[in-house]
Amino acid sequence: MNTIGTAVDQAVQAVQQGELIVYPTEAVYGLGGDFQQADVVARILSLKQRPNDQGLILAAGHIEQILPLIAPVSGDHLAAALNTWPGHTTWVFPASSSVPKGVKGPNNTVAVRLSGHAVVVDICQQLGHAIISTSANERGQKTPTAISVLAQQWSNEVAYFLDLPLGGSDKPSEIRVAGDGQKLR
């Protein structure tokens, strides 16, 4: 059974119990859960119909939640990301050994973002770690902008739909590669 509500602490509790949530991000609603739980990662990959080696974005509320996940080749690579954070830019770094399979992208990488969205920050601060942050849409479809549509679409898969405002950006986060800054999206 799923719930639509505005209580961040209830969304956090759902994540802690291994459930999936839908929550507002800078531009779209995100589908998230605890990246450290293999079954959560598998359920999100299945819902999104994503290959296991494509990887998932992790959003964090504080830089201390990102540092254990990345293995930057150079301090300059991290500095480039820090110049855009907190904000709406996701950076792809070499992954540390603490990033689980399914979250890692090609060539042992991890995509991370230090969010500036108050709700994402609050969720991550309460959890004490980053959260999976993939758009809450079916593969190839636009992300619905109404929680009621998402709740109807994923009524059996998502435990809590956090009905709070989006951040006001008109497109999903830009994705860049740490090192050369290449723009992937």
Side-chain angles (χ1 to χ4, degrees):
M1 192 67 183
N2 63 55
T3 302
I4 298 174
T6 59
V8 172
D9 61 328
Q10 287 184 355
V12 169
Q13 186 176 45
V15 171
Q16 290 170 330
Q17 294 171 350
E19 300 292 344
L20 304 184
I21 64 169
V22 167
Y23 60 98
T25 70
E26 293 86 349
V28 297
Y29 283 100
L31 173 65
D34 188 342
F35 76 93
Q36 301 166 20
Q37 296 184 37
D39 64 318
V40 170
V41 172
R43 282 187 282 152
I44 288 178
L45 290 171
S46 176
L47 277 176
K48 294 286 292 184
Q49 300 173 358
R50 290 175 71 101
N52 289 351
D53 61 352
Q54 187 174 1
L56 293 166
I57 294 173
L58 298 178
H62 192 277
I63 189 63
E64 294 297 324
Q65 297 169 343
I66 290 176
L67 293 176
L69 304 172
I70 63 174
V73 173
S74 151
D76 291 343
H77 298 178
L78 181 57
L82 290 171
N83 283 334
T84 67
W85 289 341
H88 195 48
T89 304
T90 297
W91 287 85
V92 178
F93 284 93
S96 76
S97 61
S98 63
V99 178
K101 189 176 179 179
V103 175
K104 287 182 184 180
N107 302 313
N108 195 40
T109 58
V110 63
V112 291
R113 178 174 75 253
L114 180 57
S115 181
H117 191 286
V119 173
V120 177
V121 171
D122 193 6
I123 290 169
C124 294
Q125 292 298 82
Q126 287 189 46
L127 286 171
H129 58 77
I131 186 171
I132 295 170
S133 186
T134 186
S135 56
N137 64 321
E138 294 177 345
R139 188 175 184 90
Q141 302 297 314
K142 287 189 71 158
T143 304
T145 56
I147 280 286
S148 59
V149 173
L150 288 163
Q152 189 173 35
Q153 177 179 311
W154 286 341
S155 62
N156 294 323
E157 292 89 358
V158 174
Y160 195 79
F161 295 84
L162 190 53
D163 190 10
L164 292 171
L166 297 171
S169 183
D170 59 353
K171 56 186 172 186
S173 69
E174 182 176 271
I175 301 175
R176 294 197 168 268
V177 177
D180 64 9
Q182 176 189 2
K183 185 176 177 179
L184 301 178
R185 175 175 78 187

